[in-house]
Amino acid sequence: MPRRPPGRTSLAVMCGIVGYAGYRPALDVVMDGLSRLEYRGYDSAGIAVVADGKLAWTKRAGKLANLTAALAERPPLVGTVGVGHTRWATHGPPTDPNAHPHTDCTDHLAVVHNGIIENFATLRAELKDQGHHLTSDTDTELVAHLLEEEMATVPDGPGTGLPRPGALATAMRTVCQRLQGAFTLVAVDVRDPEAVVGARRN
Ligand code: GLU
C-alpha cells in the first residue's frame, strides 16, 4: 500500500490478510477485518501493531477466539497502524510460533503472508549461515529476515536517524526479486511507521 497522505486512511483486506494505516485503533480495525475473513477457513491467527517506535504482536494457533483471549491477557496493542493474518499452514504445523506475523532478529518489522515461497530451503540455509535466528518452520519468516537485511542497507533520512521514508517499500521490492512462488506479503516496520507495504505475485 502507498504511504498515507495527510488526512487519509488506508485499509486493505486480502485473503487472510488485513492491513490498516489510519486514525482509528488498528487493533479494532484489524480484528474486525479478521473476523470477516473467518469464513474462508484458517488454522491460526495473529496481529501486530506499530506504536511509539515499537512493534507489539500476539498470535495463536486455532480460532480467532484464542487470539482474542490472548489479547485480553496482555497490555492493549495501542496504535493506528497494524496488520493481521489468518493462516492455512503450508510450511510447519499450526502452532503459536508458526502463526503470523513473523518478525526479524531486531523486532523492528513484522510480516504476514499468504501463499508459498518455493525457494524456501535455499533462502533458509543462506539466512542461517548469515547468523539469523529463525524461530519458526515457516517460509514467511524468511521474508522478515530478508527485509531486515535490506533495511540495514538503507541510508538514514536527513537528520532523522531513521531510514528514509519509503524505505520499507523499496526493501520489499528488492526482497520479492529473490522469492520464487505465488504469494501475497504485507509488512510494517517501526522505522517507517506510517507505511503498510503490500506485495503480490500471481
Ligand atoms: N506458507 C505460509 C505458512 O505456512 C503461509 C500460509 C498461508 O497462506 O496462510 O505459514
Side-chain angles (χ1 to χ4, degrees):
M1 270 167 282
R3 289 178 65 76
R4 173 166 47 107
R8 294 283 299 280
T9 284
S10 299
L11 172 66
V13 181
M14 305 180 199
C15 69
I17 294 178
V18 182
Y20 177 73
Y23 297 94
R24 292 171 54 200
L27 175 65
D28 297 347
V29 178
V30 170
M31 290 302 288
D32 179 56
L34 291 182
S35 68
R36 282 191 269 151
L37 293 173
E38 271 201 294
Y39 73 94
R40 298 180 183 193
Y42 61 100
D43 57 42
S44 328
I47 177 170
V49 171
V50 175
D52 296 332
K54 287 197 180 139
L55 190 65
W57 69 92
T58 299
K59 53 192 196 171
R60 286 291 183 276
K63 290 294 169 195
L64 214 48
N66 296 359
L67 178 63
T68 304
L71 287 166
E73 284 171 13
R74 57 154 297 152
L77 299 185
V78 178
T80 59
V81 174
V83 292
H85 185 261
T86 48
R87 176 177 189 235
W88 262 125
T90 66
H91 289 61
T95 60
D96 290 353
N98 286 339
H100 302 204
H102 289 282
T103 53
D104 67 317
C105 293
T106 63
D107 290 345
H108 279 137
L109 60 90
V111 177
V112 295
H113 161 227
N114 284 133
I116 293 175
I117 293 160
E118 287 168 3
N119 53 338
F120 159 82
T122 313
L123 292 172
R124 187 175 171 92
E126 183 185 308
L127 286 163
K128 276 188 157 181
D129 282 352
Q130 288 173 332
H132 286 273
H133 180 51
L134 302 177
T135 59
S136 81
D137 308 312
T138 66
D139 46 352
T140 309
E141 186 186 5
L142 308 181
V143 178
H145 294 278
L146 290 168
L147 285 170
E148 175 188 348
E149 288 285 327
E150 280 308 312
M151 289 295 281
T153 69
V154 175
D156 288 350
T160 63
L162 291 171
R164 58 184 161 65
L168 184 59
T170 305
M172 181 67 92
R173 272 188 212 102
T174 306
V175 166
C176 282
Q177 288 166 12
R178 304 217 43 215
L179 306 179
Q180 293 166 11
F183 50 80
T184 299
L185 290 159
V186 174
V188 290
D189 190 306
V190 298
R191 295 157 296 182
D192 198 355
E194 296 199 344
V196 177
V197 170
R200 189 175 69 163
R201 183 180 299 158
N202 299 336

